Every structure is written in C-alpha cells, then in structure tokens.
Amino acid sequence: MDLTILGAAAINGLLIGGIYTLVASGLTLIYGVLHIINFAHGSMLMLAMFGVYYLLIKLGIDPYVSLLIMVPVMYLFGFWLYKLLIGRLAQGKDENILLITLGLSILIENLALMFFKGDTRTISVPYSDVMVELGPTLVSLPKIISFGAAMVLCALLGLFIQRTDTGRAIRAVAKERVGARLVGINVDRVFAISYGIGLATLGAAACLLMPIFYVSPTTGHIFVMVAFTVVVLGGMGSFLGAIVGGLIVGLTESFGGLFLGESLGQIGISLIFILILLFRPSGLFGAKR
C-alpha cells in the first residue's frame, strides 16, 4: 500500500486518539479515586454534546468558546450529583455506585430519546471546511484544533493532580483512603471533586468533538467502549496510560478502517481489549496487584 495513504491514516488516527485520551482521562480519574467504573460516562458525554449543540444553535456560541461554559457546568453537575445522590445512595459501598451509575446511564439515555428523539445532529461553523496540509495529507482545521486542545487540557489536568493541594488530596485518597481520612482529609468531598473533574473532562471533550462529530441519544455508546479500552490498555488509574492508550486506540481504529473498511474498523479496538485482558490485565502502565 502507498506510504502516503499509510501516513495519512496514521495522522488521522493520532488526531482522533487525542480526543479519546481526554474522554478516557476522566474515566481513569474516577476509577483511580473511587475504584469503580463509571457506567454513566458515555451518557454524560452525550448530554454534554447536546449542551454544546444547543449553545451554538440557540445562542450562537462557538463550540470552542463553549469550553468556558461546559467545563464548569459539567464539573458542578458531577460534584453535586455525587454529593446529593450517588454518595448518599451508595452508603459507602463501591458496588452500589456501579449500580447507581448504570441506572443513571439508562435513565439519561431514555430521557434524551424522549426529548431529543433519535435523530443525529451535526453543527457547521465557518472553519468547518478549512483544510490544512499536514505531511502527506490534508486535515480539517477543527481536527487539528481539537487534538491540540485535548493534549493541552490533559497536560493541565496532570499538573493540577501533581502540583495542587487538591490534587495531592486526590492522590492520597486514591492510594489509601483510610489513611487520608486519619490525617484530616475530607474523603467524601474528594470523591465528589473527583467525580466532578471526571465529568468536566467530558464537557471539554464534548466541545472538541462537536465540530468533527455528530450527536444523538446513543452517541455515548460509541465512546464508552473506546474509553474503557483506553483505560484498560494504559492501566487503570494511570494518566500517562490514558494518553498513550488513547493514541494507540486512535491509530488502531484508523488503520482498521483503512484495511477492513469503515464499518469494521473498530474490530481492532475490541481485539486490543481482549488481548490486554488476557496477557496484561494491569495495562501498559498500571500497577500489578
């Protein structure tokens, strides 16, 4: 096969992989602190994408400008959702949180179907058709902007976790929640903050996805499997793993679509998921237990 085509596939895979990284970073943060899988992750992303869609359609706010709105809104939504609902109903049991988030996912998707119907929606912005020459291929400007913004946001999230007092508290709770409680850290508040940050990353991902993707009540299904694969591939709770895993999954999807056709392109993602579970369950950067 022509090297130009392979190069173009690699570039496109890396660009979409950057978005996958951002979606998965919220999932890995929630797992790292709460030690549970957030089954509502995909439906929350879908909800945020509808928010970005209507901010543009109703108020004329550009999707990238919507970052200033959607990130804090989704953070507050996640914080208070955990504080008022998930945390209270869980009663300190992780398995209860799994069931609650699964129930939330079903509820949100069905409400979305009721209010938004099953139609897919896309947006158009003035720069949608602008193409940029990148190596051997032409790439749409929104893809480049979204990739760059996703990488910057992931770096900022990593710095926040490493350098701030709140970030240190989050790491302490993730490592040893009983010990963190003994030294005076409000563990329940850290749980709520972590869940809020996890949803804030989805708000950012929604803003970056809408110029290059579509939204419907079932859109979350597309990304939740990808996000789980990225987290498992990189290692549960590892931010570096989320970045590397996202890029690998993006490349896998791109080359899978090239060799197998667009409809079968995601078979490679499922194959990676199975192989990692079989041969390295801890992931590339995960700690072995």
Side-chain angles (χ1 to χ4, degrees):
M1 184 171 287
D2 195 297
L3 289 177
T4 301
I5 297 175
L6 293 175
I11 290 171
N12 279 292
L14 289 173
L15 292 177
I16 193 62
I19 308 294
Y20 291 161
T21 292
L22 188 58
V23 175
S25 64
L27 190 63
T28 203
L29 174 64
I30 292 171
Y31 175 83
V33 177
L34 300 179
H35 302 298
I36 56 99
I37 297 296
N38 179 28
F39 284 115
H41 208 67
S43 58
M44 295 295 185
L45 174 62
M46 173 270 295
L47 202 61
M49 291 175 74
F50 269 112
V52 176
Y53 173 82
Y54 281 108
L55 281 174
L56 177 65
I57 298 301
K58 300 296 184 182
L59 301 177
I61 300 176
D62 184 274
Y64 297 126
V65 178
S66 296
L67 277 164
L68 301 175
I69 299 172
M70 291 305 302
V71 170
V73 165
M74 289 299 290
Y75 169 78
L76 291 173
F77 177 55
F79 180 90
W80 289 110
L81 181 65
Y82 186 90
K83 194 86 170 172
L84 301 177
L85 181 67
I86 297 175
R88 291 186 178 183
L89 295 179
Q91 298 178 341
K93 297 180 180 178
D94 292 344
E95 58 270 24
N96 287 353
I97 300 179
L98 289 172
L99 295 174
I100 293 165
T101 57
L102 178 60
L104 280 172
S105 174
I106 296 170
L107 177 64
I108 291 170
E109 287 181 14
N110 280 279
L111 286 174
L113 279 168
M114 183 172 70
F115 286 106
F116 305 130
K117 310 306 178 186
D119 302 331
T120 60
R121 293 169 171 83
T122 59
I123 62 173
S124 179
V125 287
Y127 47 84
S128 291
D129 298 325
V130 177
M131 305 298 289
V132 177
E133 187 174 351
L134 199 63
T137 187
L138 290 174
V139 180
S140 67
L141 180 60
K143 277 189 177 182
I144 297 174
I145 295 173
S146 295
F147 173 80
M151 292 294 98
V152 169
L153 289 170
C154 285
L156 291 175
L157 178 59
L159 287 173
F160 174 81
I161 296 297
Q162 291 294 325
R163 301 292 179 85
T164 66
D165 289 341
T166 302
R168 294 185 187 99
I170 289 173
R171 286 189 286 122
V173 172
K175 192 171 185 64
E176 180 52 68
R177 66 177 65 175
V178 175
R181 199 185 298 273
L182 289 174
V183 298
I185 295 174
N186 187 334
V187 173
D188 292 332
R189 181 174 176 82
V190 170
F191 285 167
I193 289 172
S194 300
Y195 199 83
I197 294 173
L199 263 60
T201 63
L202 294 181
C207 295
L208 303 181
L209 276 169
M210 278 310 297
I212 60 176
F213 208 73
Y214 66 86
V215 63
S216 75
T218 58
T219 297
H221 296 168
I222 299 170
F223 290 97
V224 73
M225 182 58 190
V226 172
F228 283 155
T229 303
V230 170
V231 171
V232 170
L233 173 60
M236 302 294 254
S238 170
F239 280 104
L240 177 60
I243 294 172
V244 175
L247 298 177
I248 291 175
V249 167
L251 287 170
T252 302
E253 182 181 21
S254 182
F255 282 113
L258 179 64
F259 290 108
L260 301 176
E262 187 175 348
S263 60
L264 298 177
Q266 291 203 335
I267 286 180
I269 297 176
S270 301
L271 182 60
I272 284 181
F273 188 80
I274 294 169
L275 291 175
I276 286 293
L277 289 177
L278 286 175
F279 298 107
R280 192 175 174 84
S282 61
L284 296 176
F285 298 94
K288 292 184 178 180
R289 298 182 182 275

